[in-house]
Amino acid sequence: MNKAIGFIGLGVMGSPMAGHLSNHHEIRVFNRSLEKTKSWIKKYSGSECSSVKEISKVSDILFLCVGNDNDVREIISNKDGALEHLKSGSCIVDHTTTSADLANEMNNLLSTKNINYLDAPISGGQAGAESGQLSIMVGGKNELYEELKDILMTYSKFIKYMGKSGSGQLTKMVNQICIAGLVQALSEGINFSEEVGLNSKDVLEVVSKGAAQSWQMDNRWETMLQDSYDHGFAVDLMRKDLEIVINEASKSNINIDITKLINEFYKDIQSEGGGRWDTSSLLKRLQKFA
């Protein structure tokens, strides 16, 4: 039997993800800013809903891809929220990057109404969402993951079940720790190359074919050399994610010294008005302070 699918959150990531779903399933969408909904409807095939209440009432599977913990909590538990209007036996798949505590809180809350919940944060950036090549890390009930895996493959290249509720979000924290360090190292490498007078294009072409190769290098070095920082995941969002990581690490006194330092670097970029620049703008910070 076909499941009725709803999707809330038509931003940079959510819009193309919902678009990929619409190519294979009949879906309904909702976004708090109406202009994004109208824009999505013009581009893809689906129906618009005017409220969380409306889309919850008609969805067996409700996907979320919104901003932060508070957004998710509001959508689910506010008056006329999803908790109140989803059917017993339905489920929420939350692609928002949140704290693991939020995932556990929502899972426990929804279970009181026999509604299932998967925390399923994503990695791959805007380009991955648009091409349908995201990686998804999933926490929650394994049997529900197995049931929904084929639907999730609509916009992903790799999906892995990580464990109980909250495990997807903890995995995403590892992802963000690794990205922060990689982008800072790439920025320092490019800045060094420029300062010593090398042809940085030639340098990056060489080192990207060896042990220094990474996704960040392959996808960002050219735009970084062009001083172009409008290519995906924004500094404001990275700051939000790194604060989640730092808070989680503090609970168990886990050493994340480099991550904390790079979080401060991103604060510098925000103070210069670069909150909407992409995360590779760490190079711009180095060049400015040089």
Side-chain angles (χ1 to χ4, degrees), residues 19-90:
H20 287 296
L21 277 172
S22 74
N23 291 331
H24 303 274
H25 306 275
E26 183 177 330
I27 79 166
R28 295 174 176 87
V29 298
F30 169 72
N31 196 82
R32 286 172 294 185
S33 55
L34 186 59
E35 62 270 17
K36 287 186 179 179
T37 305
K38 297 297 184 186
S39 176
W40 189 92
I41 291 293
K42 287 179 183 176
K43 189 173 182 180
Y44 302 107
S45 174
S47 305
E48 64 179 285
C49 291
S50 60
S51 66
V52 173
K53 175 181 178 180
E54 181 184 351
I55 199 168
S56 298
K57 281 189 167 184
V58 295
S59 298
D60 299 311
I61 308 168
L62 183 60
F63 291 86
L64 308 182
C65 191
V66 292
N68 54 43
D69 285 34
N70 288 337
D71 294 330
V72 174
R73 189 178 285 111
E74 180 180 320
I75 287 166
I76 292 175
S77 59
N78 264 21
K79 185 177 182 296
D80 275 337
L83 178 68
E84 193 172 331
H85 296 290
L86 282 170
K87 298 182 286 287
S88 175
S90 61

Side-chain angles (χ1 to χ4, degrees), residues 208-235:
S208 66
K209 302 300 187 291
Q213 184 272 341
S214 69
W215 186 97
Q216 297 294 331
M217 183 177 288
D218 288 348
N219 289 275
R220 289 290 174 261
W221 71 260
E222 290 188 72
T223 54
M224 291 166 79
L225 289 179
Q226 294 162 6
D227 194 35
S228 177
Y229 298 107
D230 185 25
H231 300 279
F233 197 65
V235 167

Side-chain angles (χ1 to χ4, degrees), residues 234-254:
V235 167
D236 286 342
L237 294 175
M238 187 58 148
R239 280 287 334 282
K240 182 265 292 185
D241 290 0
L242 293 183
E243 288 292 337
I244 290 172
V245 172
I246 290 166
N247 289 337
E248 187 67 37
S250 70
K251 296 176 187 177
S252 304
N253 197 29
I254 299 169

